[in-house]
């Protein structure tokens, strides 16, 4: 999925505010909530790992997954996360694109040509996936996939 922004990775995993992004309303362990039309960053992962992570997040007791995009070929999934997440995203095998307010907003139309919603935005609530929770789910998904592949 190409949004025209540059992926960024660093050592941490929680979003850090910067002067160009509005403050996030980051809620540890829950789906983040943004006001109407606030920008989002986009975490992209291979479809297999992303689908496994969606299952993990949906089974969690607390709300855990916001809108998720898939590309037309179903090769990648994209999780909408709070702005600023790209400043500190370092999960191997994934990328986080900082949109700086360009194109990815909740509520949203499809932000990327050739994509569609796997999980569409929930009305006008502005919920996005918490990056710390997503990081854990992606790690668990990678471990499950590795275990399944090693059993063959």
């Amino acid at each position: 999925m190409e949004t025209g922004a540059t992926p960024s990775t660093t050592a941490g995993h929680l979003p850090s505010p910067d002067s160009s992004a509005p403050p996030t309303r980051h809620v540890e362990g829950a789906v983040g909530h943004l006001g109407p039309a606030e920008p989002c960053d986009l975490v992209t992962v291979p479809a297999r790992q992303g689908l496994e992570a969606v299952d993990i997040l949906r089974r969690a007791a607390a709300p855990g997954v916001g809108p998720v995009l898939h590309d037309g070929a179903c090769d990648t999934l994209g999780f909408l996360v709070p702005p600023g997440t790209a400043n500190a995203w370092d999960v191997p095998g994934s990328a986080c694109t900082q949109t700086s307010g360009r194109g990815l907003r909740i509520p949203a139309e499809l932000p990327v040509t050739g994509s569609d919603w796997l999980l569409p935005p929930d009305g006008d609530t502005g919920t996005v996936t918490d990056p710390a929770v997503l990081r854990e789910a992606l790690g668990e998904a990678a471990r499950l996939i590795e275990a399944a592949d090693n059993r063959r």
Side-chain angles (χ1 to χ4, degrees):
M1 282 179 220
E2 183 59 44
T3 62
T6 304
S8 172
T9 60
T10 59
H13 71 273
L14 294 175
S16 59
D18 73 17
S19 59
S20 65
T24 63
R25 290 181 216 27
H26 179 77
V27 179
E28 186 71 36
V31 175
H33 297 277
L34 302 175
E38 286 193 49
C40 303
D41 285 355
L42 181 71
V43 172
T44 54
V45 297
R48 185 176 179 200
Q49 184 181 14
L51 290 169
E52 194 68 49
V54 167
D55 286 344
I56 292 165
L57 291 167
R58 292 185 89 182
R59 286 192 308 260
V65 65
V68 179
L69 290 161
H70 66 83
D71 65 1
C74 294
D75 292 331
T76 59
L77 293 186
F79 294 82
L80 273 60
V81 293
T85 299
N87 295 336
W89 190 259
D90 71 337
V91 176
S94 69
C96 188
T97 303
Q98 183 175 24
T99 64
S100 298
R102 296 182 304 266
L104 293 177
R105 296 178 181 271
I106 299 293
E109 294 183 21
L110 291 172
V112 181
T113 303
S115 65
D116 201 357
W117 294 111
L118 177 68
L119 297 174
D122 184 18
D124 294 337
T125 62
T127 58
V128 293
T129 303
D130 179 283
V133 173
L134 179 58
R135 167 186 279 281
E136 290 177 26
L138 289 172
E140 183 177 342
R143 290 186 296 277
L144 289 170
I145 290 168
E146 182 179 5
D149 288 351
N150 287 336
R151 294 183 79 171
R152 293 182 185 173

